[in-house]
Amino acid sequence: VFGSVSDATGSGVDGAEVRLSGLGTESLQGVERTTTTGPGGDFSIEGVEIGTYVLHVTKEGYARKSVNKVLLD
């Protein structure tokens, strides 16, 4: 899983926590992978199983953002 976190102006957000949490099947319950964005707001999370997840992005001074039902296949 890879992506980029940006603010309302389109600038990359450095140092944001990106958390991917498993949903649905028992094999994904409790599965979490966390990383931190780099200087341009980019992130990468490796070793993720096929399934459905929720993605949370947090950083002090910014509103928390969540994307539900992220399907990886």
Side-chain angles (χ1 to χ4, degrees):
V1 175
F2 61 93
S4 182
V5 177
S6 58
D7 63 16
T9 69
S11 296
V13 178
D14 180 24
E17 180 183 89
V18 179
R19 183 168 37 97
L20 190 67
S21 302
L23 295 175
T25 66
E26 286 185 26
S27 66
L28 291 179
Q29 291 294 324
V31 172
E32 286 195 353
R33 301 284 188 272
T34 304
T35 191
T36 303
T37 58
D42 295 332
F43 70 90
S44 176
I45 301 174
E46 298 183 13
V48 180
E49 295 181 40
I50 292 171
T52 304
Y53 295 83
V54 59
L55 182 76
H56 301 286
V57 179
T58 56
K59 179 166 171 95
E60 190 173 327
Y62 291 84
R64 176 183 172 149
K65 179 68 177 177
S66 296
V67 180
N68 293 308
K69 296 186 180 177
V70 175
L71 178 62
L72 304 178
D73 57 10

